[in-house]
Amino acid sequence: MSLRKAIDDKCKECIYCPLSKGTWRQQVADCASTQCPLYDVRPKSNAKKQGG
Ligand code: SF4
């Protein structure tokens, strides 16, 4: 597994709620945990291309 995918998967597992608004990428992009070590490298919203 690439680091990129590992980080993506971690953030998705961490914050994504299917019942909340937006795709998982949008929800991760909206993460407010600036103290998290992954904050600066978290996946950013690219929902149009990725389709959620
Ligand atoms: S950056 Fe946000 S979503 Fe990603 S692991 Fe940290 S707290 Fe969770």
Side-chain angles (χ1 to χ4, degrees), residues 10-11 14-15 28 31 33 36 38-39 42:
K10 175 56 190 176
C11 284
C14 173
I15 207 170
V28 171
C31 175
S33 299
C36 177
L38 296 182
Y39 184 81
R42 75 195 190 286

PDB file of all heavy atoms in Angstrom, residues 10-11 14-15 28 31 33 36 38-39 42, ligand 1:
ATOM      1  N   LYS A  10      -6.776   6.195   6.261  1.00  0.00           N
ATOM      2  CA  LYS A  10      -6.826   6.571   7.676  1.00  0.00           C
ATOM      3  C   LYS A  10      -7.794   7.730   7.905  1.00  0.00           C
ATOM      4  O   LYS A  10      -8.620   7.703   8.819  1.00  0.00           O
ATOM      5  CB  LYS A  10      -5.429   6.945   8.178  1.00  0.00           C
ATOM      6  CG  LYS A  10      -5.402   7.470   9.600  1.00  0.00           C
ATOM      7  CD  LYS A  10      -6.018   6.478  10.566  1.00  0.00           C
ATOM      8  CE  LYS A  10      -6.219   7.114  11.938  1.00  0.00           C
ATOM      9  NZ  LYS A  10      -6.914   6.199  12.864  1.00  0.00           N
ATOM     10  N   CYS A  11      -7.686   8.746   7.056  1.00  0.00           N
ATOM     11  CA  CYS A  11      -8.560   9.898   7.216  1.00  0.00           C
ATOM     12  C   CYS A  11     -10.020   9.513   6.979  1.00  0.00           C
ATOM     13  O   CYS A  11     -10.908   9.979   7.691  1.00  0.00           O
ATOM     14  CB  CYS A  11      -8.135  11.012   6.263  1.00  0.00           C
ATOM     15  SG  CYS A  11      -6.657  11.874   6.810  1.00  0.00           S
ATOM     16  N   CYS A  14     -11.223   7.793   9.910  1.00  0.00           N
ATOM     17  CA  CYS A  14     -11.269   8.695  11.058  1.00  0.00           C
ATOM     18  C   CYS A  14     -12.523   9.564  11.058  1.00  0.00           C
ATOM     19  O   CYS A  14     -13.183   9.713  12.081  1.00  0.00           O
ATOM     20  CB  CYS A  14     -10.028   9.576  11.042  1.00  0.00           C
ATOM     21  SG  CYS A  14     -10.016  10.880  12.279  1.00  0.00           S
ATOM     22  N   ILE A  15     -12.852  10.135   9.907  1.00  0.00           N
ATOM     23  CA  ILE A  15     -13.823  11.233   9.936  1.00  0.00           C
ATOM     24  C   ILE A  15     -15.094  10.979   9.140  1.00  0.00           C
ATOM     25  O   ILE A  15     -16.121  11.621   9.381  1.00  0.00           O
ATOM     26  CB  ILE A  15     -13.156  12.542   9.428  1.00  0.00           C
ATOM     27  CG1 ILE A  15     -13.841  13.769  10.023  1.00  0.00           C
ATOM     28  CG2 ILE A  15     -13.100  12.602   7.904  1.00  0.00           C
ATOM     29  CD1 ILE A  15     -13.102  15.063   9.778  1.00  0.00           C
ATOM     30  N   VAL A  28     -13.177  14.926   4.755  1.00  0.00           N
ATOM     31  CA  VAL A  28     -11.776  14.975   5.197  1.00  0.00           C
ATOM     32  C   VAL A  28     -11.187  16.367   4.943  1.00  0.00           C
ATOM     33  O   VAL A  28     -10.456  16.907   5.780  1.00  0.00           O
ATOM     34  CB  VAL A  28     -10.946  13.885   4.490  1.00  0.00           C
ATOM     35  CG1 VAL A  28      -9.454  14.081   4.773  1.00  0.00           C
ATOM     36  CG2 VAL A  28     -11.375  12.498   4.943  1.00  0.00           C
ATOM     37  N   CYS A  31     -11.816  18.664   7.656  1.00  0.00           N
ATOM     38  CA  CYS A  31     -11.284  18.306   8.975  1.00  0.00           C
ATOM     39  C   CYS A  31     -10.709  19.543   9.670  1.00  0.00           C
ATOM     40  O   CYS A  31      -9.998  20.340   9.057  1.00  0.00           O
ATOM     41  CB  CYS A  31     -10.188  17.252   8.816  1.00  0.00           C
ATOM     42  SG  CYS A  31      -9.362  16.854  10.376  1.00  0.00           S
ATOM     43  N   SER A  33      -9.018  19.296  12.675  1.00  0.00           N
ATOM     44  CA  SER A  33      -8.014  18.866  13.658  1.00  0.00           C
ATOM     45  C   SER A  33      -6.616  19.270  13.205  1.00  0.00           C
ATOM     46  O   SER A  33      -5.810  18.440  12.762  1.00  0.00           O
ATOM     47  CB  SER A  33      -8.091  17.351  13.855  1.00  0.00           C
ATOM     48  OG  SER A  33      -9.360  16.975  14.331  1.00  0.00           O
ATOM     49  N   CYS A  36      -3.523  17.354  14.227  1.00  0.00           N
ATOM     50  CA  CYS A  36      -3.276  15.985  13.770  1.00  0.00           C
ATOM     51  C   CYS A  36      -2.050  15.957  12.869  1.00  0.00           C
ATOM     52  O   CYS A  36      -1.903  16.810  11.992  1.00  0.00           O
ATOM     53  CB  CYS A  36      -4.497  15.472  13.008  1.00  0.00           C
ATOM     54  SG  CYS A  36      -4.238  13.822  12.323  1.00  0.00           S
ATOM     55  N   LEU A  38      -1.460  14.220  10.444  1.00  0.00           N
ATOM     56  CA  LEU A  38      -1.811  13.991   9.045  1.00  0.00           C
ATOM     57  C   LEU A  38      -2.534  15.172   8.411  1.00  0.00           C
ATOM     58  O   LEU A  38      -2.861  15.143   7.224  1.00  0.00           O
ATOM     59  CB  LEU A  38      -2.699  12.736   8.930  1.00  0.00           C
ATOM     60  CG  LEU A  38      -2.055  11.412   9.344  1.00  0.00           C
ATOM     61  CD1 LEU A  38      -3.026  10.260   9.123  1.00  0.00           C
ATOM     62  CD2 LEU A  38      -0.761  11.166   8.593  1.00  0.00           C
ATOM     63  N   TYR A  39      -2.768  16.196   9.200  1.00  0.00           N
ATOM     64  CA  TYR A  39      -3.601  17.301   8.724  1.00  0.00           C
ATOM     65  C   TYR A  39      -3.093  17.889   7.404  1.00  0.00           C
ATOM     66  O   TYR A  39      -3.851  18.072   6.460  1.00  0.00           O
ATOM     67  CB  TYR A  39      -3.680  18.389   9.795  1.00  0.00           C
ATOM     68  CG  TYR A  39      -4.597  19.530   9.407  1.00  0.00           C
ATOM     69  CD1 TYR A  39      -5.981  19.428   9.564  1.00  0.00           C
ATOM     70  CD2 TYR A  39      -4.076  20.704   8.868  1.00  0.00           C
ATOM     71  CE1 TYR A  39      -6.822  20.469   9.202  1.00  0.00           C
ATOM     72  CE2 TYR A  39      -4.913  21.746   8.501  1.00  0.00           C
ATOM     73  CZ  TYR A  39      -6.280  21.631   8.672  1.00  0.00           C
ATOM     74  OH  TYR A  39      -7.107  22.656   8.304  1.00  0.00           O
ATOM     75  N   ARG A  42      -3.504  15.357   4.460  1.00  0.00           N
ATOM     76  CA  ARG A  42      -4.783  14.678   4.269  1.00  0.00           C
ATOM     77  C   ARG A  42      -5.269  14.890   2.833  1.00  0.00           C
ATOM     78  O   ARG A  42      -4.917  15.898   2.207  1.00  0.00           O
ATOM     79  CB  ARG A  42      -5.816  15.172   5.275  1.00  0.00           C
ATOM     80  CG  ARG A  42      -6.383  16.553   4.959  1.00  0.00           C
ATOM     81  CD  ARG A  42      -7.094  17.112   6.163  1.00  0.00           C
ATOM     82  NE  ARG A  42      -7.836  18.318   5.842  1.00  0.00           N
ATOM     83  CZ  ARG A  42      -7.304  19.510   5.621  1.00  0.00           C
ATOM     84  NH1 ARG A  42      -6.002  19.679   5.632  1.00  0.00           N
ATOM     85  NH2 ARG A  42      -8.085  20.543   5.372  1.00  0.00           N
TER      86      ARG A  42
HETATM   87  S1  SF4 B   1      -6.253  14.783   9.337  1.00  0.00           S
HETATM   88 FE1  SF4 B   1      -8.306  14.807  10.252  1.00  0.00          FE
HETATM   89  S2  SF4 B   1      -9.396  13.165   9.213  1.00  0.00           S
HETATM   90 FE2  SF4 B   1      -7.217  12.809   8.886  1.00  0.00          FE
HETATM   91  S3  SF4 B   1      -6.596  11.445  10.540  1.00  0.00           S
HETATM   92 FE3  SF4 B   1      -6.213  13.532  11.214  1.00  0.00          FE
HETATM   93  S4  SF4 B   1      -8.020  14.111  12.369  1.00  0.00           S
HETATM   94 FE4  SF4 B   1      -8.556  12.327  11.118  1.00  0.00          FE
END
